[in-house]
Amino acid sequence: MGIAPGPTLETQRLILRPTADTDLDGWAEMMADPVAARFIGGVQARSEAWRGLASVAGSWALNGFGMFSVVEKATGAWVGRIGPWVPEGWPGTEVGWGLHPSAWGKGYAIEAAEASMDWAFESLGWTDIIHLIDPANTPSQKVAERLGSINRGPSNLPAPYETSKVEAWGQTAAEWRARRAL
């Protein structure tokens, strides 16, 4: 199995690990689903999904971080990608998420994002985290709110996504730590 270099995190129900070549089937299914893919790049053919997977694996190799593949402990199933993401020209240090429809409604986005944010603040030394969310993506806005992030207003993405409408939700490391201490 080919797997990108990086740490593995565990939560109560999930394993978060760097991208592996065995993730392609689940990744491609998610990106082929019009509802699941709507706010994370749109529907993609399997070959395009592979490029996305390879891009995240490359981020791990080049930057020492990338979105984690999220695996359900109980089943071993790949259920999404969540974690640090800062492509060239990105407007900030993001922790983003995208879940396979089989994982919706289970609280996995919060569980995995919390672990990812803890790791980004503590291990990467990030001082601020954003989540770039389409104004029509109410479910992701609710995830951001539950994480304690606030809507900071419109933001801009680099080419080729410069026409996408997004809002930057976010919080500082100090705000995150204060909230986690409660």
Side-chain angles (χ1 to χ4, degrees), residues 127-179:
T127 58
D128 191 73
I129 286 177
I130 61 170
H131 322 289
L132 298 172
I133 302 172
D134 186 294
N137 190 347
T138 304
S140 278
Q141 292 169 9
K142 289 179 182 177
V143 169
E145 287 173 344
R146 288 199 47 209
L147 292 168
S149 294
I150 61 165
N151 187 340
R152 296 175 173 174
S155 187
N156 297 307
L157 295 176
Y161 309 106
E162 67 273 12
T163 61
S164 299
K165 293 187 186 306
V166 294
E167 295 171 334
W169 291 69
Q171 62 188 293
T172 66
E175 291 166 336
W176 177 253
R177 289 183 186 111
R179 184 177 173 280

Side-chain angles (χ1 to χ4, degrees), residues 35-181:
V35 178
R38 178 177 175 200
F39 298 116
I40 56 173
V43 171
Q44 298 176 358
R46 185 179 175 90
S47 60
E48 292 173 295
W50 181 87
R51 287 192 223 11
L53 181 140
S55 179
V56 171
S59 180
W60 278 105
L62 295 174
N63 300 316
F65 65 85
M67 285 194 175
F68 291 97
S69 278
V70 182
V71 177
E72 230 174 16
K73 281 184 180 179
T75 65
W78 184 94
V79 295
R81 60 183 195 215
I82 294 178
W85 188 237
V86 189
E88 177 63 28
W90 222 239
T93 48
E94 180 176 21
V95 167
W97 47 82
L99 289 175
H100 189 284
S102 67
W104 293 355
K106 298 180 180 182
Y108 289 171
I110 299 292
E111 189 173 329
E114 285 177 342
S116 296
M117 290 174 71
D118 281 341
W119 186 76
F121 283 134
E122 298 308 317
S123 296
L124 300 178
W126 288 6
T127 58
D128 191 73
I129 286 177
I130 61 170
H131 322 289
L132 298 172
I133 302 172
D134 186 294
N137 190 347
T138 304
S140 278
Q141 292 169 9
K142 289 179 182 177
V143 169
E145 287 173 344
R146 288 199 47 209
L147 292 168
S149 294
I150 61 165
N151 187 340
R152 296 175 173 174
S155 187
N156 297 307
L157 295 176
Y161 309 106
E162 67 273 12
T163 61
S164 299
K165 293 187 186 306
V166 294
E167 295 171 334
W169 291 69
Q171 62 188 293
T172 66
E175 291 166 336
W176 177 253
R177 289 183 186 111
R179 184 177 173 280
R180 298 288 273 173

